[in-house]
C-alpha cells in the first residue's frame, strides 16, 4: 500500500486558533504522519481550545509555574485547555499510522507528559486539572474562560482526552530518541578524562531548587577530592519575591551560600536548552568566592535569594553561564567539582 509522508509543522497547529475546536489532519488509512517532538513542545504548540485564548492560557502557565507546580501538574491543566495535547493529535490523525520521535525534557520520559503527550494516552482528566488549580491556590486567579472550560468538561459537555485502549492509538508508535541520560553520561565521561573520580547521583533531581542545591553540596563535601558529582533533572521555584531568574540560577545562588573556601567546590547548574527562566542565561557556575564578588558590587546573596532575584546577583558576581540556544532540551545538568 502506497503511503504518503505528512510532516506536521508544530507552529502551524498553534497558529490555527481561529479554526474549529477539533484539529483535523485529513490523513487517511494509507498515510504516515511523522511527528517530531522536542523539549518545550507544550509551550511552542499551545493550540488553546475555545473559549480560552492564547494570552489566557499563558497566564495560567505563569501562575502555575510561580506556584511551584511540577511539570506533570502543569501539563494536566495544559492538556485540558488544548485542542491537540493529551492524545488529541492521535485522535485527529486516525486512521493514519503515526510515528512520534521525541527528545525528552521530562524526568523518567513519560510519553504522556513530554510536550503534553499529543500522541499518547492521557491518564489525567478534567477533574485532575481542576484539582491542580485548587491545590496550587490559583483557582480564583485564573481567567474566567479557563474555569468555564474545566467546569464544562466536569459536566461532560466536552469530550475527554483519549485514554489507554482507545482505538486512536492502535496505529501509533512513540519513540524517545534522546533524554537526560545522554547529558549525564557525557558529563561523567568528561570528568573521568579530566582526572576526577565521577559520582553519578541521579537523573531525577527535583523539588525546590534551593533545597536541592544544599543537599547536593552537602553530598559533594563528603567526597574525597578530586571528585565530580553529576546529577540531572528539573527543580522548581516557588516564587515569593519580585526578582528575576530561573531554577538553575536559584540553585546556583543557594549553592554559593553553602560554599566555604576550604571545600574547594565549584558548582554548575544549567538548562540544556541554553535558557533558564525569563533570562538570557542557561544557568551559572559558582564557587566559594562568588559571595565576595557580588558583595563587592553591592549585592547581598541572602537578600537576592529571598526576593528570587538570582539573575541580578549572579550578573553582579560575574558567574552567569550564557550559551545561547542549544536547539535541544534534555532537562537540566548539575555538576559539583571538589578539587
Amino acid at each position: 500500500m502506497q503511503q504518503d509522508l505528512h510532516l506536521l509543522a508544530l507552529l502551524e497547529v498553534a497558529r490555527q486558533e481561529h479554526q474549529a475546536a477539533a484539529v483535523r489532519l485529513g490523513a487517511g488509512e494509507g498515510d504516515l504522519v511523522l511527528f517530531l517532538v522536542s523539549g518545550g513542545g507544550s509551550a511552542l504548540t499551545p493550540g488553546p481550545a475555545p473559549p480560552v485564548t492564547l494570552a489566557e492560557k499563558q497566564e495560567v502557565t505563569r501562575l502555575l509555574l510561580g506556584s511551584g507546580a511540577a511539570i506533570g501538574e502543569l501539563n494536566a491543566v495544559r492538556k485540558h485547555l488544548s485542542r491537540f495535547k493529551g492524545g488529541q493529535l492521535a485522535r485527529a490523525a486516525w486512521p493514519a499510522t503515526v510515528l512520534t520521535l521525541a527528545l525528552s525534557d521530562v524526568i523518567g520520559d513519560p510519553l504522556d507528559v513530554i510536550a503534553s503527550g499529543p500522541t499518547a494516552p492521557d491518564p489525567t482528566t478534567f477533574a485532575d486539572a481542576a484539582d491542580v488549580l485548587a491545590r496550587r491556590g490559583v483557582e480564583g486567579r485564573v481567567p474566567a474562560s479557563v474555569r468555564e472550560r474545566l467546569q464544562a468538561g466536569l459536566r461532560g459537555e466536552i469530550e475527554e482526552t483519549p485514554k489507554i485502549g482507545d482505538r486512536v492509538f492502535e496505529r501509533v508508535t512513540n519513540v524517545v530518541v534522546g533524554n537526560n541520560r545522554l547529558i549525564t553520561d557525557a558529563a561523567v565521561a568528561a570528568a573521568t578524562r579530566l582526572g576526577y573520580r565521577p559520582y553519578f547521583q541521579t537523573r531525577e533531581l527535583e523539588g525546590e531548587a534551593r533545597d536541592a542545591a544544599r543537599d547536593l553540596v552537602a553530598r559533594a563535601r563528603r567526597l574525597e577530592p578530586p571528585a565530580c558529582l553529576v546529577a540531572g533533572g528539573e527543580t522548581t521555584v516557588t516564587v515569593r519575591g519580585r526578582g528575576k531568574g530561573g531554577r538553575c540560577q536559584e540553585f546556583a545562588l543557594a549553592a554559593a551560600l553553602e560554599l566555604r573556601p576550604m571545600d574547594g567546590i565549584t558548582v554548575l547548574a544549567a538548562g540544556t536548552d541554553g535558557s533558564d527562566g525569563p533570562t538570557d542565561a542557561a544557568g551559572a557556575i559558582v564557587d566559594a568566592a562568588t559571595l565576595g564578588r557580588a558583595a563587592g558590587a553591592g549585592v547581598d546573596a541572602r537578600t537576592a535569594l529571598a526576593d528570587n532575584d538570582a539573575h541580578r546577583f549572579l550578573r553582579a558576581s560575574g558567574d552567569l553561564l550564557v550559551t545561547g540556544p542549544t536547539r535541544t532540551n534534555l532537562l537540566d545538568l548539575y555538576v559539583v567539582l571538589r578539587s
Side-chain angles (χ1 to χ4, degrees):
M1 181 173 9
Q2 184 178 6
Q3 291 188 324
D4 295 325
L5 182 62
H6 295 267
L7 295 179
L8 181 64
L10 289 176
L11 295 180
E12 181 60 27
V13 176
R15 294 189 190 106
Q16 295 171 355
E17 295 175 61
H18 64 282
Q19 294 187 357
V23 178
R24 291 289 178 264
L25 298 186
E29 189 173 350
D31 295 331
L32 171 66
V33 176
L34 178 62
F35 189 56
L36 309 178
V37 179
S38 69
S42 292
L44 287 171
T45 54
V52 182
T53 67
L54 177 58
E56 290 169 337
K57 193 171 182 184
Q58 289 173 321
E59 175 65 8
V60 173
T61 299
R62 186 189 67 79
L63 289 171
L64 287 172
L65 287 173
S67 74
I71 187 63
E73 294 177 300
L74 180 60
N75 283 0
V77 176
R78 282 168 157 170
K79 291 173 184 178
H80 290 87
L81 301 179
S82 171
R83 293 183 293 115
F84 79 101
K85 293 181 172 70
Q88 294 180 85
L89 184 61
R91 176 184 284 164
W94 172 264
T97 297
V98 177
L99 173 61
T100 295
L101 304 178
L103 293 171
S104 172
D105 67 334
V106 184
I107 291 174
D109 307 331
L111 293 170
D112 64 288
V113 180
I114 301 170
S116 298
T119 59
D122 180 21
T124 70
T125 64
F126 278 103
D128 293 325
D131 181 64
V132 168
L133 298 184
R135 189 168 63 252
R136 288 296 176 178
V138 299
E139 184 178 23
R141 300 163 59 193
V142 300
S145 63
V146 171
R147 293 193 299 272
E148 177 185 337
R149 176 170 172 82
L150 295 184
Q151 288 302 315
L154 289 172
R155 294 191 299 267
E157 297 170 7
I158 299 175
E159 185 178 16
E160 257 293 357
T161 50
K163 312 302 180 189
I164 292 177
D166 194 302
R167 70 170 188 173
V168 302
F169 300 113
E170 291 175 356
R171 299 183 179 187
V172 174
T173 301
N174 293 292
V175 181
V176 175
V177 295
N179 58 16
N180 191 247
R181 179 185 291 273
L182 296 175
I183 305 301
T184 55
D185 284 357
V188 167
T192 302
R193 288 196 304 271
L194 293 171
Y196 289 88
R197 280 190 297 274
Y199 295 86
F200 169 69
Q201 180 66 32
T202 182
R203 295 185 189 89
E204 299 184 358
L205 192 68
E206 54 187 342
E208 284 289 327
R210 60 184 67 188
D211 297 334
R214 296 181 188 117
D215 178 68
L216 218 59
V217 169
R219 290 175 182 272
R221 192 174 281 131
R222 295 193 291 267
L223 300 177
E224 187 70 25
C228 176
L229 185 62
V230 175
E234 184 173 277
T235 61
T236 54
V237 174
T238 301
V239 179
R240 298 184 175 89
R242 296 181 296 176
K244 185 169 75 168
R247 58 185 180 267
C248 291
Q249 291 167 74
E250 180 143 325
F251 184 104
L253 171 53
L257 281 164
E258 301 296 309
L259 300 181
R260 304 186 295 259
M262 66 284 296
D263 292 329
I265 289 178
T266 302
V267 179
L268 173 147
T272 57
D273 61 349
S275 177
D276 183 45
T279 73
D280 61 350
I285 302 174
V286 298
D287 56 26
T290 291
L291 301 188
R293 291 193 293 270
V299 182
D300 177 71
R302 296 194 184 279
T303 300
L305 186 61
D307 199 30
N308 300 118
D309 203 14
H311 187 74
R312 185 172 72 93
F313 173 87
L314 294 164
R315 185 175 58 203
S317 69
D319 293 326
L320 286 174
L321 176 62
V322 180
T323 64
T326 63
R327 308 199 185 283
T328 189
N329 187 346
L330 302 175
L331 289 172
D332 299 337
L333 175 66
Y334 308 91
V335 176
V336 185
L337 294 179
R338 187 160 191 230
S339 302

